[in-house]
Amino acid sequence: MKIKKSTIPTDSPVNAYLPADYSDVFVCEVISNKKVSPDDLLIAFWTDFPGWVNTLFEIRNFLVKFVGLKADKEDSNELENCIRTGGTSNFTSVPAKSSNETVMLLADKHLNAYLSAHVGGDMPQQKISVITLVHFNNKLGNTYFFFIRPFHQIIVKSMMKRVVKKMLQP
């Protein structure tokens, strides 16, 4: 499965949150008789981390406590309910949903990050996009993202490949 950089789909609700201080879109095309759901994709992204990603998040959560950023771990059942119903859980909310996209917002005092799963096309050919938009609320947000940006891109591409493969298994 090849994952490449792309642009935000024109029909994406996430366009309402532009302009952003940072944005990226990673896309892959799959051929499968299994329908990929944006909700299932986001839930898997946030509840099924490989060990190395868990370790990075634990380090991140330890370090950000010293500057007053949120370091709580989301309850996976609450998060799943939030994504499916368009609700709120801890510091996560779902500000927009459509039949082919779910947009999640992670809000903190330093930045707001919109993370979206968009599924386009008709089965069996589906185009899956994972979109990130970041709005810096202050200098701390800019500094924080400067340090995590390289990890963000590696994690998103790796998780996307892992999650989509798992979702399409027979």
Side-chain angles (χ1 to χ4, degrees), residues 104-148:
M104 226 171 106
L105 169 62
L106 304 173
D108 205 342
K109 67 182 180 183
H110 66 305
L111 60 76
N112 293 333
Y114 293 89
L115 306 161
S116 167
H118 181 280
V119 182
D122 294 315
M123 287 188 347
Q125 192 165 339
Q126 300 170 77
K127 186 175 184 178
I128 301 167
S129 301
V130 173
I131 304 162
T132 304
L133 301 180
V134 180
H135 296 269
F136 304 134
N137 295 333
N138 52 41
K139 286 183 182 181
L140 176 59
N142 196 354
T143 303
Y144 168 81
F145 199 73
F146 174 81
F147 288 105
I148 70 154

Side-chain angles (χ1 to χ4, degrees), residues 2-8 22-29 127-130 132 149 152-154 156-157 160:
K2 190 155 186 123
I3 296 175
K4 58 186 178 182
K5 282 199 155 210
S6 188
T7 57
I8 298 172
Y22 171 84
S23 67
D24 65 34
V25 180
F26 293 101
V27 65
C28 68
E29 294 187 29
K127 186 175 184 178
I128 301 167
S129 301
V130 173
T132 304
R149 180 179 173 173
H152 161 79
Q153 293 179 357
I154 292 166
V156 169
K157 289 182 351 187
M160 185 175 184

Side-chain angles (χ1 to χ4, degrees), residues 45-46 49-64 71 73 106 144 155 159:
F45 245 77
W46 290 101
F49 297 126
W52 67 273
V53 173
N54 264 331
T55 300
L56 287 176
F57 274 119
E58 286 171 10
I59 293 167
R60 177 248 179 233
N61 288 343
F62 174 76
L63 293 173
V64 300
K73 190 169 184 176
L106 304 173
Y144 168 81
I155 291 170
M159 290 293 295

Side-chain angles (χ1 to χ4, degrees), residues 68-123:
L69 301 181
K70 294 177 182 171
D72 297 339
K73 190 169 184 176
E74 291 276 359
D75 174 85
S76 60
N77 291 328
E78 260 186 58
L79 184 61
E80 180 174 352
N81 186 53
C82 169
I83 291 169
R84 293 205 188 282
T85 64
T88 300
S89 167
N90 202 0
F91 60 95
T92 304
S93 63
V94 176
K97 281 177 83 79
S98 69
S99 60
N100 64 336
E101 184 168 10
T102 301
V103 181
M104 226 171 106
L105 169 62
L106 304 173
D108 205 342
K109 67 182 180 183
H110 66 305
L111 60 76
N112 293 333
Y114 293 89
L115 306 161
S116 167
H118 181 280
V119 182
D122 294 315
M123 287 188 347

